């Protein structure tokens, strides 16, 4: 019998692999409930389509506005060994600030030439550098003067517009 192959090619049984899956949840409720929060369980494995998903514990992640890390739910597929980590949809992977906070800061800088008060400028410059890099890589150099529109276009494509990695 042939071994199953993942959607991304290769034999997923050779090692464990992981995927971050964004779900619509209320982060304030998550902070109040902790590990008792009722996370929505994916119907099927996002890698192989299998229907068996096991609870695989929690992983802690920091978010702006909270004094302690929040517990994010994980599931594991026993067939392809994929580990699915659930994350609030209002946050991009590897970012503590919400998408709306990042968007608002960048729009204020692009429209008014100043960062919002209370925001560390080094952090905001990191986002702007990532935006310039993503726009150039995915949309081309002609878009360098249209960063605001480029942000929206990349976000609509499912690309994190402020990520430093291409």
């Amino acid at each position: 019998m042939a071994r199953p192959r993942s959607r991304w090619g290769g034999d997923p049984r050779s090692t464990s692999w992981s995927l971050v899956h964004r779900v619509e949840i209320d982060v304030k409720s998550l902070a109040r409930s902790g590990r008792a929060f009722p996370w929505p369980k994916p119907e099927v494995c996002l890698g192989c389509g299998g229907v068996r998903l096991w609870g695989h514990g929690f992983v802690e992640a920091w978010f702006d506005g909270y004094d302690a890390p929040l517990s994010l739910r994980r599931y594991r597929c026993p067939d392809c060994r994929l580990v699915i980590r659930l994350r609030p949809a209002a946050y991009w992977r590897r970012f503590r600030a919400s998408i709306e906070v990042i968007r608002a800061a960048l729009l204020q800088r692009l429209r008014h030439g100043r960062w919002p008060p209370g925001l560390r400028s080094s952090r905001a410059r990191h986002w702007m550098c990532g935006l310039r890099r993503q726009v150039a890589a995915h949309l081309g150099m002609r878009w360098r003067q249209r960063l605001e529109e480029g942000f929206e276009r990349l976000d609509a494509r499912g690309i994190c517009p402020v990520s430093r990695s291409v």
Side-chain angles (χ1 to χ4, degrees):
M1 183 165 119
R3 287 187 146 185
R5 296 180 68 81
S6 73
R7 287 193 319 206
W8 297 281
D11 181 8
R13 292 183 184 202
S14 61
T15 67
S16 291
W17 47 305
S18 65
L19 174 79
V20 176
H21 181 60
R22 293 172 48 197
V23 292
E24 291 291 335
I25 63 165
D26 180 33
V27 180
K28 290 180 183 177
S29 296
L30 172 62
R32 276 193 307 271
S33 303
R35 291 187 173 196
F37 182 79
W39 285 95
K41 184 177 180 180
E43 300 274 329
V44 298
C45 174
L46 303 173
C48 69
V51 294
R52 297 186 310 155
L53 285 178
W54 299 343
H56 195 57
F58 295 88
V59 64
E60 292 184 337
W62 289 90
F63 294 95
D64 283 353
Y66 297 96
D67 296 333
L70 304 181
S71 296
L72 304 180
R73 188 73 169 117
R74 293 188 312 174
Y75 292 96
R76 182 179 178 110
C77 175
D79 299 325
C80 70
R81 295 186 176 178
L82 174 69
V83 175
I84 301 169
R85 184 174 78 172
L86 303 183
R87 184 172 182 82
Y91 293 83
W92 282 310
R93 183 178 176 194
R94 299 183 181 187
F95 285 87
R96 294 174 71 163
S98 71
I99 295 170
E100 286 310 312
V101 166
I102 295 171
R103 176 183 278 122
L106 291 173
L107 289 180
Q108 180 167 335
R109 175 66 179 196
L110 292 170
R111 291 178 181 168
H112 305 292
R114 303 193 80 161
W115 295 112
L119 179 67
R120 287 191 352 249
S121 61
S122 62
R123 184 181 197 196
R125 283 193 310 266
H126 181 81
W127 298 335
M128 183 64 78
C129 183
L131 176 60
R132 286 188 178 115
R133 179 181 219 145
Q134 293 297 328
V135 165
H138 294 284
L139 302 175
M141 294 302 287
R142 294 177 300 151
W143 285 79
R144 297 282 298 205
Q145 303 304 318
R146 297 164 43 197
L147 292 176
E148 189 175 326
E149 187 180 349
F151 181 99
E152 299 302 332
R153 190 167 283 217
L154 290 172
D155 191 31
R157 288 184 184 179
I159 299 169
C160 177
V162 295
S163 174
R164 295 288 292 260
S165 62
V166 178

